[in-house]
């Protein structure tokens, strides 16, 4: 229960900690919560330091629950492992390991110092920072592929409006755009639809970078190099998350090269009978994990991971 509380606390830093991850911490003893904390902003104290500071002497002999293992390096702030040891905590329960090569190993440091440690390896804790975890470990953005189709697999419907999914699904897409660092399509989509790719009518605090992969004239930011090179360059520029909204050609390119992490498929409740089909030309099948389904207006949203956050 305390780890679940720490996960909820971490969300309070969503949108203000970037480019850092969101992290929450709870100090408990004798089954009761003594203090809580979360990381609020880059350069500010980390979640466990905030919680331990609030606990004071009550932290001695207590258990610290934290969504990610305490960092073990000098960055913007000192190592959190030092704060844990100074506080006299008896046990640390972490929801996930730190994938950052420069900061990981905090549980090992604490174990070597005599602190009891437990790793729960919570998928919820890893998914909470899925974009950041991919960015620091693979040095590329976390890529979400969004597609929409009819029940018979059509991605275009001749003679109808350009929209396949309903208004609730379209609003969800705008919410997604507001949450990611960049949105991208292929040049074919640019020529066919001239998309804006902005987050509209959802109270977006910031707009994503708007990209197009391919060659040719466009008002969008053109990325014409090999996908791996372009994704690496985007990561260096601080892009942690990328939403793909292109058609089957762009989707297949990213899937073939192994650059899709999550797939979100909006399925509309009608049979088109004609139009372009979602035909992804792949050398081998792509299996998804952690599949979920959700009703979004009249549509159904299917979500799964091609590569789970590690």
């Amino acid at each position: 229960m305390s780890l679940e509380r720490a996960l909820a606390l971490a969300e309070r830093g969503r949108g203000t900690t970037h480019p850092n991850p969101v992290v929450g911490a709870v100090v408990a003893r004798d089954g009761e919560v003594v203090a809580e904390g979360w990381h609020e902003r880059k350069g500010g104290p980390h979640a466990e330091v905030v919680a331990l500071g609030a606990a004071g002497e009550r932290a001695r002999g207590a258990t610290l629950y934290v969504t990610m293992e305490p960092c073990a390096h000098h960055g913007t702030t000192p190592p959190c492992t030092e704060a844990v040891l100074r506080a006299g905590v008896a046990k640390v329960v972490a929801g996930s390991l730190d994938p950052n090569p420069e900061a990981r190993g905090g549980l090992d440091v604490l174990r070597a110092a005599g602190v009891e440690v437990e790793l729960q390896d919570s998928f919820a804790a890893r998914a909470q920072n899925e974009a950041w975890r991919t960015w620091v470990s693979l040095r590329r953005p976390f890529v979400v592929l969004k597609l929409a189709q009819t029940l018979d697999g059509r991605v275009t419907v001749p003679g109808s409006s350009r929209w396949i999914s309903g208004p609730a699904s379209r609003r969800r897409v705008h919410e997604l755009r507001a949450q990611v660092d960049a949105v991208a399509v292929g040049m074919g989509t640019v020529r066919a639809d001239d998309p804006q790719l902005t987050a509209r009518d959802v109270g977006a605090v910031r707009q994503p970078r708007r990209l197009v992969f391919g060659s040719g004239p466009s008002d969008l930011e053109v990325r014409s190099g090999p996908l791996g090179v372009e994704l690496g360059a985007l990561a260096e520029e601080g892009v942690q998350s990328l939403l793909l909204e292109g058609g089957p050609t762009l989707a297949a390119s990213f899937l073939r090269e192994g650059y899709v992490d999550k797939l979100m498929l909006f399925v509309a409740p009608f049979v088109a009978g004609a139009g372009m089909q979602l035909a992804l030309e792949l050398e081998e099948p792509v299996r998804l994990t952690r599949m979920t389904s959700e009703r979004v207006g009249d549509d159904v949203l299917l979500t799964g991971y091609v590569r789970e956050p590690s």
Side-chain angles (χ1 to χ4, degrees):
M1 184 61 71
S2 293
L3 184 57
E4 292 179 359
R5 176 58 181 166
L7 287 166
L9 289 168
E11 287 301 320
R12 297 186 182 183
R14 181 74 64 186
T16 62
T17 65
H18 192 83
N20 287 359
V22 294
V23 181
V26 172
V27 179
R29 61 186 308 158
D30 301 324
E32 295 185 359
V33 173
V34 173
E36 301 177 336
W38 64 92
H39 183 45
E40 293 186 9
R41 64 186 184 282
K42 178 177 172 57
H46 290 186
E48 49 270 62
V49 173
V50 175
L52 292 171
E57 283 301 313
R58 295 175 297 173
R60 195 162 300 277
T63 297
L64 171 66
Y65 296 85
V66 61
T67 55
M68 188 186 303
E69 68 174 328
C71 64
H73 84 310
H74 281 273
T76 308
T77 59
C80 291
T81 50
E82 294 182 358
V84 173
L85 294 175
R86 283 197 307 270
V89 167
K91 181 178 180 179
V92 173
V93 179
S96 63
L97 294 176
D98 191 332
N100 187 347
E102 298 179 353
R104 63 191 177 194
L107 290 186
D108 294 334
V109 171
L110 296 174
R111 185 184 295 109
V115 178
E116 182 182 355
V117 300
E118 177 185 338
L119 172 64
Q120 293 198 1
D121 192 23
S122 160
F123 172 74
R126 286 184 280 119
Q128 189 172 55
N129 288 298
E130 56 192 13
W132 176 83
R133 298 181 77 88
T134 298
W135 181 65
V136 299
S137 61
L138 300 182
R139 300 312 303 169
R140 66 165 177 81
F142 180 83
V143 177
V144 179
L145 171 59
K146 186 276 296 181
L147 297 167
Q149 67 169 43
T150 62
L151 286 174
D152 55 343
R154 308 288 179 168
V155 295
T156 61
V157 181
S160 69
S161 71
R162 60 186 291 187
W163 304 113
I164 289 177
S165 53
S169 294
R170 296 199 295 274
R171 179 177 176 83
R172 175 66 66 86
V173 172
H174 283 281
E175 292 172 348
L176 287 170
R177 291 176 182 175
Q179 295 165 5
V180 299
D181 296 325
V183 182
V185 294
M187 196 58 72
T189 299
V190 167
R191 288 191 288 265
D193 298 331
D194 189 24
Q196 297 182 51
L197 303 185
T198 53
R200 301 185 294 278
D201 302 321
V202 291
V205 177
R206 60 175 181 139
Q207 290 292 332
R209 286 174 61 173
R210 302 175 303 130
L211 317 176
V212 54
F213 287 93
S215 300
S218 175
D219 292 333
L220 304 178
E221 181 182 333
V222 179
R223 314 294 298 211
S224 57
L227 292 185
V229 173
E230 294 292 359
L231 291 177
L234 288 170
E236 288 297 321
E237 295 165 9
V239 176
Q240 295 185 10
S241 52
L242 172 65
L243 176 64
L244 290 185
E245 293 195 37
T249 301
L250 184 67
S253 297
F254 271 78
L255 284 167
R256 279 197 302 266
E257 297 195 35
Y259 292 135
V260 174
D261 298 289
K262 180 191 283 187
L263 172 65
M264 301 181 72
L265 178 63
F266 292 88
V267 182
F270 67 92
V271 176
M276 182 185 298
Q277 288 187 308
L278 181 60
L280 303 176
E281 297 184 2
L282 305 173
E283 284 72 24
E284 57 185 30
V286 174
R287 181 171 294 277
L288 304 182
T289 61
R290 307 278 182 178
M291 285 292 301
T292 61
S293 61
E294 176 188 354
R295 185 76 175 267
V296 182
D298 292 330
D299 304 329
V300 173
L301 170 59
L302 302 176
T303 303
Y305 285 86
V306 179
R307 189 197 66 84
E308 292 185 21
S310 58

